[in-house]
Amino acid sequence: MGVISALKVLDMSSVLAGPLTGSFFAELGCKVTKIENKTIGGDPTRQWKLTTEDSNSDFSAYYASANYGKEIIMLDFKNEDDLEKLWTLIQAHDIIISNFQRKVSEKFGLSPKAIQNKFPDKIIAQLSAYDYDDPRPGYDLVMQGETGWISMNGIDQNHMAKLPVALIDIIAAHQMKEAILMAVLKKYQSGEGSIIHVSLYKSALSALANQASNYLMAQHIPKPMSTLHPNIAPYGDTFTTSDGELVLLAIGSDAQFAKLWVSLNLGEIIDSRFILNSDRVRYRNEMVTILTERIKSVSLAEFTGLMNKNNLPWSKIHNLKDVFESEQGKKIVLEYNLNEIVAKAVSQVAFSIE
């Protein structure tokens, strides 16, 4: 990656968003050094273990997911020698990633401004729950609740759900990567460093996308719809084949629905209630009843043939065993030695540059 792989990254963050950002640069070939708190046994996620994991291991599967390819150094900032070593490391690295709360960073003289004052050419990426000056802690679950994600996720208002991964952290990590890359470009052009501030809360809001504009433009307050989509049908509607396999459709246009109608041999003329997407949303129940009866009469193999013949978007609902035993799944898995034990994680670099 040329300029990128030559960068040195100091990851002083913990848990997920910051460490994921550091791992992204490690995958691009950068030297990434991670600082962990010696006094508490390192990153808290080292202890976030499933009941099936080795309780004596120095790290968990969760920790492995976000710390690919890093050199780990344990430091105690209350120790003067360790703090001096940290400053030496800061001087030796191009990018500094931190998620210290303001009171912690100022206690040890490690605020973004303090680092910039000593080393104005550094790119300093600061992650906060809300704003840097806001002392409130914020985990992903809190963000999902505060920014509306839980309110529209689940089956209904009595059965809401959180997302099964810390998606707000992951979104914030992407925001931080983009900001760092922009700062790298700025430094390449001008030689100047930057201070980057990324907020979990703002990252969560920014990712609401069409759900946000549905409210801002039409005052629509989304409610839990299981896998369904408020604007499109059949999109997220699920069906069971004759051999008991669960499949979903993702029909995004009127032309695709016309192909679906023909593919399923539902007649030469489409029911007038289902020609336009707006009508399909209105008459979703009636449409689903017709599709359910047809799809439950064919096997998964037959359904696959019918869908693929006309290049229609659909999926069998896979579990993670299905996913990572597939050829595509195997290609994105990373295996690496962490504390001399083979760890596995999913690559964040899901692109190629030619």
Side-chain angles (χ1 to χ4, degrees):
M1 288 286 180
V3 173
I4 299 298
S5 60
L7 295 170
K8 294 181 180 179
V9 179
L10 187 66
D11 180 3
M12 301 194 299
S13 65
S14 60
V15 188
L16 193 58
L20 279 175
T21 306
S23 291
F24 170 79
F25 284 97
E27 283 193 63
L28 293 181
C30 301
K31 174 179 168 53
V32 180
T33 304
K34 179 175 166 68
I35 305 302
E36 297 188 28
N37 188 340
K38 183 193 299 184
T39 64
I40 61 170
D43 191 309
T45 63
R46 285 180 178 269
Q47 302 304 318
W48 291 5
K49 296 177 182 177
L50 299 167
T51 57
T52 52
E53 292 186 71
D54 180 1
S55 60
N56 296 315
S57 172
D58 289 335
F59 64 91
S60 65
Y62 194 114
Y63 176 88
S65 74
N67 289 290
Y68 169 80
K70 302 175 185 178
E71 177 187 350
I72 309 298
I73 298 177
M74 297 281 188
L75 295 179
D76 175 3
F77 293 173
K78 294 177 183 178
N79 180 291
E80 290 186 11
D81 290 339
D82 279 9
L83 194 56
E84 184 178 343
K85 184 175 182 179
L86 177 63
W87 277 109
T88 301
L89 288 165
I90 290 172
Q91 184 177 14
H93 289 75
D94 305 292
I95 299 165
I96 317 300
I97 300 170
S98 170
N99 66 346
F100 297 145
Q101 288 185 299
R102 178 175 178 173
K103 64 181 179 180
V104 174
S105 62
E106 291 184 348
K107 176 181 178 180
F108 296 107
L110 294 168
S111 69
K113 279 292 184 184
I115 296 172
Q116 188 182 59
N117 288 340
K118 283 193 175 185
F119 306 110
D121 63 329
K122 303 301 179 187
I123 295 170
I124 304 154
Q126 172 66 43
L127 176 76
S128 302
Y130 301 92
D131 290 320
Y132 182 59
D133 293 333
D134 193 321
R136 288 177 293 170
Y139 281 91
D140 184 274
L141 177 63
V142 174
M143 295 303 153
Q144 288 192 37
E146 286 211 353
T147 60
W149 288 79
I150 288 177
S151 76
M152 55 187 176
N153 194 28
I155 299 172
D156 55 42
Q157 288 186 298
N158 294 320
H159 300 88
M160 292 183 184
K162 73 175 184 67
L163 295 160
V165 295
L167 189 63
I168 309 307
D169 273 81
I170 295 168
I171 293 166
H174 282 290
Q175 297 273 12
M176 188 173 285
K177 296 170 198 173
E178 291 171 12
I180 289 172
L181 291 173
M182 290 175 67
V184 169
L185 179 59
K186 172 189 168 184
K187 184 174 180 179
Y188 181 75
Q189 293 174 331
S190 68
E192 297 176 1
S194 300
I195 294 177
I196 295 159
H197 285 283
V198 175
S199 157
L200 288 176
Y201 184 84
K202 292 177 183 177
S203 296
L205 291 182
S206 73
L208 288 171
N210 61 290
Q211 296 288 10
S213 58
N214 280 349
Y215 173 74
L216 294 170
M217 296 175 66
Q219 291 71 56
H220 172 75
I221 300 176
K223 294 179 173 55
M225 296 180 66
S226 187
T227 58
L228 303 184
H229 196 291
N231 303 75
I232 318 170
Y235 193 100
D237 301 82
T238 59
F239 307 91
T240 304
T241 62
S242 63
D243 45 354
E245 297 289 355
L246 196 61
V247 298
L248 61 79
L249 293 172
I251 304 301
S253 70
D254 295 336
Q256 286 181 342
F257 187 80
K259 287 183 180 180
L260 175 69
W261 191 267
V262 172
S263 297
L264 293 176
N265 299 315
L266 291 171
E268 295 183 4
I269 300 176
I270 302 174
D271 188 310
S272 61
R273 295 172 296 177
F274 312 139
I275 294 173
L276 299 177
N277 175 69
S278 56
D279 290 328
R280 292 195 297 277
V281 173
R282 182 176 296 108
Y283 296 109
R284 186 193 295 267
N285 290 340
E286 293 84 349
M287 175 194 65
V288 166
T289 297
I290 293 170
L291 294 177
T292 297
E293 287 300 311
R294 174 60 181 135
I295 293 171
K296 76 178 185 180
S297 71
V298 298
S299 67
L300 176 64
E302 292 170 320
F303 183 75
T304 300
L306 294 172
M307 294 298 99
N308 292 351
K309 181 179 179 181
N310 282 305
N311 198 29
L312 290 165
W314 72 283
S315 174
K316 174 188 171 185
I317 297 180
H318 295 282
N319 62 32
L320 290 193
K321 182 176 184 294
D322 299 328
V323 171
F324 290 114
E325 288 185 356
S326 71
E327 289 305 311
Q328 291 297 316
K330 290 175 182 176
K331 289 178 182 178
I332 203 168
V333 173
L334 298 167
E335 294 193 16
Y336 60 103
N337 287 322
L338 188 61
N339 298 346
E340 299 182 352
I341 300 173
V342 174
K344 294 187 178 183
V346 173
S347 172
Q348 291 186 74
V349 181
F351 59 83
S352 61
I353 300 175
E354 296 179 358

